[in-house]
Amino acid sequence: MNLPEKFAYMATGKPYDDLDPVLIAARDRATTETNVLNATDDSDERARLFAALVGSAGANPVVNPNFRCEFGANIHVGQNFYANYDVTMLDGGRITIGDDVLFGPRVGLYTSNHLFDPVERQTGGCIAKPITIGNRCWLAANVAVMPGVTIGDGTIIGANSVVTHSIPANVIAAGNPCQVIRPITAADKTGFTGQDWV
């Protein structure tokens, strides 16, 4: 089975062999490419390298060092994606990120999970579930998003949260495990447009 076939199998949510030589080679390639991306001082060049590494990237990605991913090919980001420092994405499963999404420092997206049985885990058993993040979301510093989670459009996830289940659109959520705190309402508007900034 070639790499695209393995990725398609992994996307079914069935256990797969994390120690497969094809997957190890793909991880090594992603490590090499992220090392080059992270060593680049020019933000335009980092954007180009990021777009070449991931499965698809919309216009204007900003990815600050150190960015790390498992494969890259299973990551799909929309336009105007911003990743602050030390973002990690384990993309054994598909990661889909909408438009105008902000990540604070040290955000981690983890689609993969080792199997629970010790013998199966020791022999390389893993399982992956997709992560989907809607448009206009903000994940603050140190947020960890676990396998199978969907975060709705416009939602803010507070710093140091562990997101273990899906979160609806247009809310502020935080905690471990992450819980909805309140909806985002018209009262949250300040009138800022960027035009008044001096």
Side-chain angles (χ1 to χ4, degrees):
M1 211 182 311
N2 63 29
L3 189 57
E5 291 171 325
K6 289 182 187 293
F7 285 158
Y9 180 83
M10 292 159 67
T12 66
K14 296 177 185 172
Y16 63 90
D17 182 2
D18 196 44
L19 302 176
D20 183 294
V22 173
L23 296 182
I24 290 171
R27 277 191 209 93
D28 289 346
R29 178 197 56 79
T31 298
T32 299
E33 291 183 20
T34 56
N35 286 342
V36 172
L37 182 151
N38 291 322
T40 303
D41 292 332
D42 182 86
S43 59
D44 291 337
E45 180 64 3
R46 274 199 312 274
R48 187 192 70 73
L49 292 168
F50 176 76
L53 169 66
V54 299
S56 64
N60 308 314
V62 175
V63 180
N64 290 296
N66 283 318
F67 172 79
R68 292 292 173 195
C69 63
E70 188 174 13
F71 301 109
N74 291 330
I75 299 170
H76 302 274
V77 301
Q79 298 183 58
N80 306 316
F81 172 64
Y82 179 87
N84 211 316
Y85 301 97
D86 299 327
V87 167
T88 299
M89 297 186 197
L90 291 183
D91 59 308
R94 184 181 177 99
I95 294 174
T96 304
I97 300 169
D99 295 337
D100 304 306
V101 172
L102 305 173
F103 282 5
R106 295 187 178 89
V107 166
L109 306 182
Y110 306 105
T111 66
S112 314
N113 199 5
H114 297 286
L115 297 180
F116 294 159
D117 179 80
V119 174
E120 291 178 348
R121 185 170 57 249
Q122 179 186 0
T123 58
C126 274
I127 194 163
K129 295 180 181 175
I131 291 173
T132 302
I133 298 171
N135 298 316
R136 300 173 317 283
C137 290
W138 172 24
L139 279 61
N142 299 310
V143 168
V145 181
M146 305 315 286
V149 165
T150 295
I151 297 173
D153 290 347
T155 286
I156 297 170
I157 305 294
N160 300 310
S161 295
V162 179
V163 188
T164 58
H165 59 274
S166 293
I167 304 292
N170 300 309
V171 299
I172 298 171
N176 182 3
C178 190
Q179 304 288 328
V180 173
I181 296 171
R182 68 175 178 85
I184 297 172
T185 69
D188 292 306
K189 293 187 184 297
T190 66
F192 179 78
T193 64
Q195 302 301 316
D196 300 327
W197 181 251
V198 181

